[in-house]
Each structure stands twice: as structure tokens, then as C-alpha cells.
Amino acid sequence: MTRTVLTVDDSRTMRDMLRMALAGAGFNVVEAVDGEHGLEVLSAHRPDVIITDINMPKLDGFGFIEAVRVDDDYRAIPILVLTTESDPAKKDRARRAGATGWIVKPFNPEKLVDAIRRVAA
Amino acid sequence: MDELEAIKVTFFQECEELLADLEGGLLAMQDGNDDGDTVNAVFRAVHSIKGGAGAFGLEPLVRFAHVFETLLDAVRSNEVPSTPDLVATLLRASDVLADHVSSARGLGVVDEAVSAAMAAELKACTDPNAAPAPVAAAPVVEAPAFEAVSAAPAEVLIGADDALDDDDLGFDFQPMTITIDEQAADVAAAVGNVWTVSIRPKSDLYRKANETALLLRELARLGPIEAALDASAIPPLDQLDAEAAYATWTVRLETEEDENAIREVFEFVDGDCDLEITRGEALSPDAALAALLAGPAPAAVEAAPEPVVVTEAPVEIKAAPEPVAAAPVVEAAPAPVAAPVAPAPVAAAPAAPAAAKTQQIDVPGPGQSVIRVDPERIDRLIDLVGELVINQAMLAQRVGEYGIAPSSNLAMGLDELEQLTREIQDSVMAIRAQPVKSVFQRMPRLVREVASMTGKQARLVMDGENTEVDKTVIERLSDPITHMLRNAIDHGLESPEERKAAGKNPEGVVKLAALHRSGRIVIEVSDDGKGINRERVHSIAIKKGLISPELQLTDEEIDNLIFLPGFSTADKISDVSGRGVGMDVVKRSVQALGGRISITSRPGQGSTFTLSLPLTLAVLDGMVVDVAGETLVVPLAAIVESLRPKPEEVRPLGPVGSVLAVRDSFVPLIDVGLTLGYREASPPPTEGVVLLVEGEDGSRAALVADAIHGQRQVVIKSLEQNYQQVDGVAAATILGDGRVALILDVDAVISLRRREPPRPVEPTLIAAE
């Protein structure tokens, strides 16, 4: 079964990069441009894994993760956050919000797929 | 183009948008609108540029963006106050950032000294107390594109913080420090490849959707594992907290990998489980069994005495969110070891009210276009619609020739067809129309740079950025606007001292405005500077032999001398305007586009350059007239009224000219046939029809034609592209009967008429409108 990954990032470049890496690894990719949009796409596509940026307009990554985690239907979905640099404070805050793991940008496709494998059943 | 290159193209497109957002946000802050959203958007713009640049290994860009971002982060968290000075610095930094983007794109070179100075300035703003430390190579550079960043720490502190927080479960885990160095690891490899890993998950691990079974699966990738479950901590069912974690796993792992590799498996759950990694067989199966049996949990009684062996290959784990149920080891403990997550999602699909909206994955950024279409396709569409308009006109003419009543079904159907054709035409033109914003948004930076180079203080005020114009025209606007702005600041504005002395605000105002007028786009560049020094312009023109000294010129004519080739008012050629490009070049390039440029000036109050260009080269509403047997089209936008002159209204003026009395004023009579060279002598104006027209500058003239055929929409066919530019003619068109007709350039005809009478000097001198 093809697994679906939801990517949430306001940067078109980053969404394209993620799509390229994920589609190349056989994932089905759905995209959202910010946290609010992400919650909408979530309900429509029920992804197996979520990858989200932190700095986004409307609803940022922290808020998005928290919203996913309080929803009984979705709180078991693994969420990977994209951090631009290994910023410990940001990473910790994302983890407190409920992030499952993280991917340090810039990522390479193998590392990305690796991270998904580690969190996805 | 491979996929990565395609994304890189996207990245640079996005950079343009982000840079525009950045500048827009900073300008809003400059105007005092620095609410949190603006600062956040500004931060995000730089952050996104940095993120993308990192992905492509664009290091100088990443470095500069990082310094910039750090300061913006401090501003948005109110650690650094947002003062006008700071915003000015940020604006300059945005310019340098734009340079870095261009440079990364291969479109220019960054001035390293400027960039370094800017970076130092940003750092100083971020932390005013920081000594200007010689941190030349700050470790801000991220790993280049697509290179794994996987340096594991050499020293790991396990469970130090979180163990203390975990008192609710009553575990008494002692944090311990494990120091690993390479030598030790080597020794370990020599001694043996057996490791014992003890994992005690906390409820937080499950709350974050991590999963012990997956950790075991990951361990199994390193080598064969045997996992034993210690379920002794599981309370009786009635005391069981479904959200809590009770189990401890002990794993025997045989691997060639070192401890770092093992530890990396637990990277995501660092702090969310107690982890012990020791070399060798720490726990015999018997000991594990003893531990299990000793446990009070009724579950333990039924537990299989053998540790469950998880081999590398067939670890089948389903997607069900009940973690333990999915793991093969579950037989060892029938009671739920941990039920961290909610019961499996109910099959009922959640209400998806926004389902339609979510289909739209790629939501455009504000003000940006969504669909990318090859412009050639649109051009082709525009051509086809042009043909359709001509065809429809021909059809209407044929039907008219058959004398069909206007009330007939056929005629009415044709009317509807005409309506539809027009709507299609408008819609197609709208596809290619774009706001002039894309050009305007490059100008604030230009003004800042020119102002700082010339020592002037200038503020740019823009108006009408959303005025739409055909894309082909937009691309050609940038150069003339750039030059006019440079000129306005360099030559128009006075120095701050002079302005103060003149009782003005030391900061000069330069206005850039776009508007639609008479079916054309008009760009105005005005300044509140000193205006044109007519005396000086006049004397320079004489000195340079451009005009004859005895020539009497009006103020307007003197102002327009600056458009003469070879004219430059600057005493010394400055860095800014004196680049060998005079206003004459600007004028010529504008004319080549079918446009005009003019200037008005008031001493001490400033000058205004007005640039007018056709909105499009596609269609025009025109009046079809006959002149000396030729059919001409006069743009409707220029026509004020048409009339038949009475003999008493025509008055001779000078040897050849004559004027027409229209109500209270006199306007020059121009015989179009004579001006265009169709005939040698004019028939009396009273025998023809007069079109009262108004030029760009508001001047009026009465054009004499032989007859009027009526009003029609015509498709413009460029003469320049198909033949060459002809004075007095703007373009050509094909009429309904298939004949070619020329479209009159009203302003050119007026100015051609002005230079008709012989003058003592070259006629072109006064031609500047």
C-alpha cells in the first residue's frame, strides 16, 4: 500500500524538494501551505506521516502539531518537523508540542526517507 | 532540465516574491505599521530564502541570510527595538540580500566588502554589546546540498532531565553519563559484538506518536535481536492507566555497528524513555524470566517463559495505532503494556467541510499568479482573437450591404456576436495584462541607492502600482522609469542644505505614479526639487550649438531641450545620471514603443516627467475617415468632437496656416492629407469634416478630413514590425472589406504640423513635445 505523506511548508521550493524526494521513494504526497491549510488537508487525505515546517503564516508548526495531537482521530499520526538548523530550543518546543521526530534542513532524500521509516509503521 | 534544476528555478522565482514581500514589509514598518504580523512575515521571507539556499548549497547567500535572520528574530521577539534607523538598516540589508540572490543566480556579483560591512552592521544591531569579535568564519554555514548531517555527539547524557519529571510513575531511574570515544568503541568491537539495550518508554514517547515496536524494528536493522519484555510494572487491569507506559524492554543485539549507531535509533525518543546501552550479555534469559515471574501483574503468570525473538527480516507491524498490539512480542504480555494512543481511528470519515478547498494544493502567495503558461500560446490566442474581430467586422459589413433590417434576427444575432467577440477580446487581453507593480517594486531600492550616492535625502511615493498593462509593455518600462528616477534625484532634488535654505523639508519627495488615460498607460515621475533652470539650459544648448542664439523659445520649448541628443546639464558627470545615457536616449526608446515623453517644470517647485505608452498593441477603437482618397483610422480616445466648419469660423494665421474658432478659443487647423504628404495643397476646410482632437499634453488641434465613415474597433498591426516607423502613423489595421488602413498618431501629426513652417534651425529642435 502506498503511504501518504502530508507536507506542510509555506515555501514552494521546500514543498517541491520534499515532493521530489518523497515521490522518488514511492510515497504519495499531499501538500499544504500553512498550518491552517494543513489541518484541512489532513481531514481530506488522512496521511500516514506528516512533515511540517515551523515558521509559517496563519498557523505555525507548533500550533499545527498541537492541533493534530489534541484530535483523537489524528493524534497517532507521526509528525516530523523541519528545522533549518539544529536549533535546540525550536526542536524542544516542537517536541513538547508533540513532534515525533525532526529533519534537519538541508536534508538529503535518503535521510528524509530514513526518518519516515523510523516513525512510520 | 532535471527535477532539481527545475526546483532551483522555482526557488529563484520564489526568492523574487519573498524579496518583494520583505521590502514591502519593511516599508510598512517604516511607515509605522510594525505589528507582529508584519515583522513575522519579514522574518519568514528571509528565513525561507535561507532555507532554500541551504538546500542548494548557496553558501554566501545562506551566510548573509543567517545574519539577517538572526537580527530579525531578535526584532520580532522585541529584544531589539524597531526604530526608524534600524528599519533603514534592514532595508539596506534587504538590498544586499537581493544582490546575493542575483549572484547565486549567476546574474551579477556581490560586492564582498559591502556584504561583509552590512553583515557586521547587522550583527552589531543584534547584539550591541558584542565586541566586534574576529569571528570571520562563524559556524553558521549549513552543510551543503544533499549531504548528510549526522555527526552524533561523542558524549551522551541519558535521561538527565526527564527522569526527574517522571515521578508520577514512580520509576527511580538514575541518570548516568556514558562517555564514548573512538578508542573505546574500537576496543568494544574487538571484544565482541553483543550489546544489551534496555528501554523503558515513558508516556510522552507515545504521546508524540513514537512507538517502541518501531524502535525494536530499527534495532533489528543493525543485527539480530532478542527482546525480552519486563511487564512487572503493569498494574492490575482496574488500576491501569491507559495513557501510561509500564513496560521495560531488554534487547540483546548482535551488531557490527558501534554504540553511536545504536544510540541514533533512539534519537527521536531522547528523554522520552530511559535508555541503557551496555556491552555484552547483561541479562540472561533466566534472569528476565525471574523478573517477569516476580512481577505482581496477573499478566505475568501467563507470560511465555521464553523471550520473544525478533529477527531482522519479517517484522510485520501494522499501521494500527495501538502500539503493543501490533508488535510480535505481544504474546509475552496479554495485558496492554501501554495504551498510549486513542483507540484505533473510527472508520467514519471525519466531516470534511473544506474538502473542495483542500484540492487546491498550491495556493498562490498574495498577488502572485498561479498558472504558468507559455506566453507564445497567449500571443497566438491574441492574434486569433484579432482575426476574429476582423472577421466579425467583415461579416457585419456584408450583412449591411444586403440591406438587412437592423431589427431582423440575423442583424440581432450579429450584434450579439459582436458583444461576445468584444468580451472574448477583453478577457484574452486581461490574461496578458499585469500590474506595473513588478517594475515599481524595484524602484525603492534604486531611490535609496541613488540618494545615498548623491548625498540627497529622498523619499519615494508610489501610486497606481496595480495599474495593469500588457506584459510586453511592462518589460520595457523598467529602463525609462529607472532613468527618470535617477534624473529626478540627481538633477531635480537639491541637497538637504539647499532645501533647508529654501525653507523646504530636507527630505525630497519623488513620486512615481501609473494611471490609465485615453487608452494609454501614463507613467509620471515628479520631484519637489528646484525645477529646470531654464536660463542655464538655454545657454548650454546655445553653447553646444544645439540651437541658434536668436531663436525665441517658450518655457515649454526650453524645458524640452533636455531631450536633445548630446545635451547634459550636469556640470560634472556624476556617477548616477551621467552614464552616457541622456534623456534623448530615453526619449528614443520610448518612441520606439509607440510612446511619448514630456516634461513640465516649475522653478523652485519641481519637475514632472510624463511618459505615455500604449496599453497594448492589440486593439483600438477608432474613427474611420477618408483623406485624399485614403482610408485612415483616428484613435477615438483622442477625438473630442467632430464638426463641419462654417466659413466664418476659419481664420488665416500667418502665410500658410489657419485656425478654427471653436466656441471661445482658436485651435490650429491641420490638413491631414497635406501633413502626411497625400496632397500638395489643401482644399478649403469648409468642404471637409473637422475632428477636434486633444493631444497627450492637452493641446488641441482641428484635423481636417474629407469624410467620416464611422466608428469601428480595429485590430492593431504594428508597422514597425512589418515595415518601419512612419512619422504621423501609429500603426495599421485591416478593415472589414479587407483593405489596409493606417492608424493616425494624433500627437505626431500635431507636432509635425508645428514644424511645418520653415525655421531658422533644424526643425527637430522644437519637435520635442
Side-chain angles (χ1 to χ4, degrees):
Chain A
M1 195 190 81
T2 309
R3 275 183 288 194
T4 298
V5 180
L6 164 64
T7 62
V8 189
D9 200 312
D10 59 329
S11 158
R12 199 161 66 228
T13 309
M14 208 45 73
R15 288 198 304 273
D16 284 358
M17 297 282 275
L18 288 168
R19 175 178 286 278
M20 182 180 77
L22 294 170
F27 290 101
N28 176 36
V29 183
V30 292
E31 298 178 337
V33 300
D34 57 48
E36 259 180 41
H37 189 204
L39 292 174
E40 291 165 12
V41 177
L42 184 68
S43 58
H45 292 274
R46 305 197 64 86
D48 300 298
V49 178
I50 297 168
I51 298 175
T52 180
D53 190 23
I54 293 178
N55 284 293
M56 291 185 292
K58 293 185 185 169
L59 182 62
D60 68 8
F62 304 127
F64 172 68
I65 296 170
E66 279 162 11
V68 174
R69 288 287 176 251
V70 296
D71 189 317
D72 280 354
D73 280 348
Y74 305 123
R75 63 177 187 154
I77 301 176
I79 304 176
L80 296 167
V81 291
L82 289 163
T83 55
T84 303
E85 65 279 356
S86 338
D87 182 341
K90 234 175 239 166
K91 203 168 76 183
D92 284 352
R93 207 180 139 199
R95 292 190 69 194
R96 278 201 304 281
T100 312
W102 56 90
I103 300 160
V104 177
K105 289 191 279 188
F107 55 85
N108 65 6
E110 297 86 64
K111 207 162 168 60
L112 178 71
V113 173
D114 198 56
I116 293 176
R117 191 204 61 235
R118 288 166 68 178
V119 298
Chain B
M1 184 159 50
D2 73 7
E3 214 173 343
L4 197 60
E5 277 304 304
I7 296 176
K8 204 165 177 177
V9 171
T10 306
F11 167 64
F12 284 121
Q13 282 171 351
E14 195 174 15
C15 275
E16 290 301 317
E17 293 161 22
L18 291 168
L19 286 169
D21 290 352
L22 171 63
E23 183 162 52
L26 288 173
L27 290 173
M29 286 166 71
Q30 195 175 38
D31 295 342
N33 302 325
D34 52 346
D35 58 37
D37 279 353
T38 309
V39 179
N40 276 327
V42 162
F43 170 82
R44 271 200 310 276
V46 177
H47 181 76
S48 290
I49 290 174
K50 184 182 117 175
F56 291 105
L58 306 170
E59 294 204 12
L61 176 55
V62 172
R63 255 197 309 267
F64 186 81
H66 178 80
V67 178
F68 198 173
E69 180 196 28
T70 309
L71 174 55
L72 289 172
D73 200 20
V75 174
R76 70 173 183 156
S77 57
N78 290 322
E79 287 161 34
V80 172
S82 159
T83 62
D85 279 353
L86 182 81
V87 175
T89 304
L90 295 175
L91 275 165
R92 281 186 294 114
S94 74
D95 295 342
V96 177
L97 186 68
D99 284 347
H100 273 289
V101 170
S102 300
S103 160
R105 206 173 186 172
L107 302 175
V109 182
V110 179
D111 187 332
E112 281 307 327
V114 171
S115 172
M118 194 70 237
E121 200 177 333
L122 292 175
K123 279 181 191 157
C125 291
T126 311
D127 188 359
N129 303 322
V135 194
V140 295
V141 189
E142 285 158 28
F146 284 59
E147 196 179 291
V149 191
S150 61
E155 185 171 301
V156 186
L157 189 66
I158 306 168
D161 301 330
D162 294 69
L164 300 173
D165 302 338
D166 205 24
D167 47 4
D168 56 330
L169 291 179
F171 284 124
D172 195 14
F173 181 79
Q174 291 303 312
M176 62 173 293
T177 307
I178 299 176
T179 309
I180 310 145
D181 61 359
E182 283 180 0
Q183 270 186 335
D186 287 346
V187 173
V191 171
N193 298 327
V194 177
W195 298 82
T196 300
V197 183
S198 154
I199 314 154
R200 183 179 301 178
K202 302 176 193 173
S203 58
D204 256 6
L205 183 145
Y206 298 111
R207 190 181 70 78
K208 294 170 187 168
N210 270 301
E211 182 49 68
T212 319
L214 294 178
L215 295 171
L216 295 179
R217 186 178 69 180
E218 286 301 305
L219 278 179
R221 290 171 62 90
L222 300 175
I225 65 169
E226 290 172 27
L229 169 68
D230 175 3
S232 58
I234 299 175
L237 200 56
D238 56 347
Q239 294 168 28
L240 189 88
D241 175 0
E243 299 276 313
Y246 300 104
T248 304
W249 307 83
T250 305
V251 181
R252 179 187 181 277
L253 168 68
E254 258 186 82
T255 180
E256 301 291 322
E257 304 285 337
D258 64 5
E259 181 167 343
N260 281 344
I262 301 172
R263 205 159 284 282
E264 214 178 312
V265 168
F266 298 93
E267 188 188 8
F268 290 163
V269 295
D270 181 27
D272 292 335
C273 71
D274 297 331
L275 180 67
E276 265 181 87
I277 300 174
T278 49
R279 181 181 329 289
E281 317 268 356
L283 185 74
S284 71
D286 285 349
L289 179 59
L292 287 171
L293 291 175
V301 181
E302 293 163 36
E306 295 294 314
V308 177
V309 176
V310 183
T311 50
E312 187 176 2
V315 184
E316 276 295 319
I317 298 168
K318 281 179 266 156
E322 289 153 297
V324 178
V329 287
V330 76
E331 289 130 301
V337 176
V341 261
V346 190
K357 196 181 169 192
T358 54
Q359 297 303 318
Q360 211 185 328
I361 300 299
D362 204 339
V363 171
Q368 294 298 332
S369 54
V370 198
I371 312 175
R372 281 156 228 265
V373 183
D374 186 348
E376 276 178 25
R377 292 192 190 182
I378 296 175
D379 294 349
R380 166 118 187 91
L381 192 57
I382 285 173
D383 268 2
L384 282 174
V385 171
E387 302 295 328
L388 179 65
V389 170
I390 291 172
N391 204 272
Q392 183 268 328
M394 281 183 176
L395 197 58
Q397 190 160 338
R398 295 286 141 74
V399 168
E401 282 163 10
Y402 283 104
I404 290 170
S407 58
S408 69
N409 283 343
L410 180 61
M412 274 156 51
L414 265 180
D415 280 352
E416 277 167 28
L417 179 65
E418 186 182 350
Q419 284 280 342
L420 277 175
T421 312
R422 273 183 177 258
E423 273 175 37
I424 292 175
Q425 198 171 36
D426 288 349
S427 310
V428 169
M429 291 312 298
I431 295 178
R432 215 170 51 172
Q434 289 186 334
V436 293
K437 201 174 186 169
S438 60
V439 176
F440 274 29
Q441 68 192 12
R442 297 205 283 268
M443 298 306 157
R445 167 173 190 179
L446 176 91
V447 169
R448 285 196 293 279
E449 286 180 349
V450 174
S452 90
M453 248 187 268
T454 53
K456 311 274 174 77
Q457 287 180 22
R459 186 159 60 89
L460 178 66
V461 177
M462 294 197 286
D463 193 25
E465 293 117 300
N466 290 322
T467 307
E468 287 197 333
V469 65
D470 201 76
K471 184 172 162 46
T472 48
V473 178
I474 282 197
E475 287 158 3
R476 317 280 288 269
L477 280 176
S478 179
D479 282 355
I481 293 180
T482 303
H483 201 86
M484 289 192 294
L485 278 176
R486 278 203 184 118
N487 194 78
I489 299 166
D490 195 18
H491 298 311
L493 294 184
E494 313 90 330
S495 68
E497 297 75 34
E498 283 175 73
R499 289 182 65 92
K500 266 186 230 160
K504 292 179 174 177
N505 186 332
E507 184 182 62
V509 175
V510 181
K511 273 189 197 157
L512 174 61
L515 58 146
H516 282 164
R517 188 191 290 157
S518 315
R520 295 171 76 86
I521 180 164
V522 175
I523 306 280
E524 282 181 356
V525 174
S526 53
D527 63 71
D528 65 346
K530 54 186 179 280
I532 285 183
N533 184 339
R534 296 197 172 111
E535 215 171 292
R536 200 155 140 258
V537 166
H538 194 207
S539 71
I540 288 173
I542 292 170
K543 201 166 72 191
K544 296 202 171 178
L546 299 172
I547 52 168
S548 150
E550 60 266 25
L551 190 63
Q552 288 298 308
L553 296 175
T554 64
D555 285 353
E556 193 194 336
E557 284 166 337
I558 294 175
D559 290 348
N560 282 291
L561 288 174
I562 64 163
F563 292 114
L564 288 181
F567 186 93
S568 172
T569 51
D571 287 334
K572 49 177 188 269
I573 289 184
S574 74
D575 226 10
V576 184
S577 304
R579 288 187 177 170
V581 182
M583 290 309 287
D584 59 316
V585 177
V586 176
K587 180 168 175 141
R588 259 183 282 137
S589 69
V590 167
Q591 278 176 333
L593 277 174
R596 293 177 199 94
I597 187 167
S598 62
I599 181 173
T600 57
S601 180
R602 282 188 295 175
Q605 292 182 43
S607 313
T608 301
F609 283 93
T610 307
L611 172 69
S612 108
L613 289 168
L615 277 182
T616 167
L617 302 174
V619 277
L620 177 93
D621 279 313
M623 187 75 88
V624 181
V625 298
D626 259 2
V627 175
E630 299 286 334
T631 307
L632 294 173
V633 177
V634 183
L636 206 59
I639 299 176
V640 180
E641 61 177 298
S642 55
L643 48 97
R644 281 192 179 277
K646 298 185 184 76
E648 66 269 20
E649 290 169 347
V650 179
R651 312 270 174 83
L653 183 77
V656 284
S658 53
V659 294
L660 181 72
V662 181
R663 287 181 275 280
D664 292 336
S665 63
F666 292 100
V667 292
L669 270 166
I670 301 171
D671 178 27
V672 178
L674 189 72
T675 310
L676 294 183
Y678 290 155
R679 55 190 166 206
E680 293 297 317
S682 305
T686 45
E687 286 177 15
V689 188
V690 160
L691 297 173
L692 191 62
V693 294
E694 193 173 83
E696 285 296 330
D697 52 2
S699 63
R700 291 188 169 199
L703 302 185
V704 186
D706 299 345
I708 289 182
H709 282 302
Q711 194 179 318
R712 197 155 310 162
Q713 190 176 46
V714 296
V715 176
I716 301 176
K717 299 280 179 188
S718 163
L719 264 192
E720 286 91 337
Q721 272 173 29
N722 300 315
Y723 175 57
Q724 65 177 56
Q725 197 184 350
V726 179
D727 274 354
V729 177
T733 189
I734 302 167
L735 294 175
D737 57 7
R739 279 187 302 144
V740 171
L742 298 178
I743 299 171
L744 212 59
D745 183 342
V746 171
D747 284 73
V749 168
I750 296 173
S751 51
L752 280 171
R753 160 63 173 68
R754 276 189 200 147
R755 64 168 107 137
E756 264 171 40
R759 300 258 181 187
V761 281
E762 275 184 75
T764 49
L765 291 185
I766 320 298
E769 297 148 35

